[in-house]
Amino acid sequence: MTNAEQTSVLITGGDKGLGLEAARRLGAKGWTVFLGSRDAGRGRAAADKLAADGANVVLVPLDVASDESVGAAVRLVREYTDRLDVLINNAGVSGGGVAPADATADEVHSVYNINVYGTIKVTHASLSLLRAADHSRCDGVQRWRFLRGRDRSGAAHLEAP
């Protein structure tokens, strides 16, 4: 179990980009970082680097599109702590930059399965751990693939071409 005074965070997609940077910064502040990663090799490399820099990090295999993986991830977190102070839903995909007029239902579904439904799955599965913390919070990083293939993170609107 983690120290009752040590803040804990689960970061989905924590093995690269914004997720890894959040893990690095929170780990440097002494937080226990549960590093969610779909890719085992990339996740292990990220966790090892964070640990070498002094972070208290636990690698959590996590594919947000899989109910089984989400359940196993939350069970693993429970092996280390009885509460979760922060959940950062960072896992996401861009969808390849297909223009809306050209996108098929299957292409849109695959993006929604990770970016929307995956976020809901992880959040729901983590609720009891979040509720056990005094002042928990759940944050999300939204990814939108804009027209003409430009990536933007954190935006809540679509930009016209």
Side-chain angles (χ1 to χ4, degrees):
M1 292 283 173
T2 59
N3 182 318
E5 295 179 19
Q6 191 169 26
T7 306
S8 60
V9 59
L10 170 61
I11 305 173
T12 69
D15 57 8
K16 64 180 182 174
L18 293 173
L20 181 57
E21 181 61 14
R24 185 190 68 75
R25 289 182 183 204
L26 297 173
K29 290 180 177 251
W31 290 35
T32 296
V33 176
F34 294 99
L35 188 80
S37 176
R38 181 178 53 165
D39 182 288
R42 194 171 52 226
R44 175 50 46 212
D48 289 347
K49 171 75 169 102
L50 292 167
D53 291 342
N56 181 13
V57 61
V58 176
L59 177 59
V60 179
L62 177 56
D63 177 355
V64 302
S66 164
D67 292 335
E68 295 78 21
S69 179
V70 170
V74 172
R75 285 190 298 277
L76 179 61
V77 171
R78 281 187 191 286
E79 290 178 18
Y80 290 87
T81 188
D82 58 357
R83 65 173 170 70
L84 192 58
D85 297 291
V86 177
L87 169 61
I88 300 176
N89 282 300
N90 175 65
V93 296
S94 65
V98 177
D102 299 327
T104 67
D106 285 342
E107 289 167 329
V108 172
H109 175 74
S110 67
V111 172
Y112 268 66
N113 195 36
I114 294 171
N115 295 3
V116 178
Y117 305 130
T119 296
I120 294 168
K121 289 175 189 181
V122 174
T123 301
H124 278 264
S126 303
L127 281 176
S128 63
L129 286 167
L130 289 163
R131 288 177 176 148
D134 289 334
H135 302 286
S136 65
R137 63 182 291 166
C138 179
D139 293 316
V141 176
Q142 298 301 313
R143 284 183 177 68
W144 301 95
R145 183 69 145 174
F146 287 80
L147 303 178
R148 296 189 180 155
R150 294 177 302 208
D151 275 339
R152 305 268 172 103
S153 291
H157 64 280
L158 292 178
E159 195 173 271

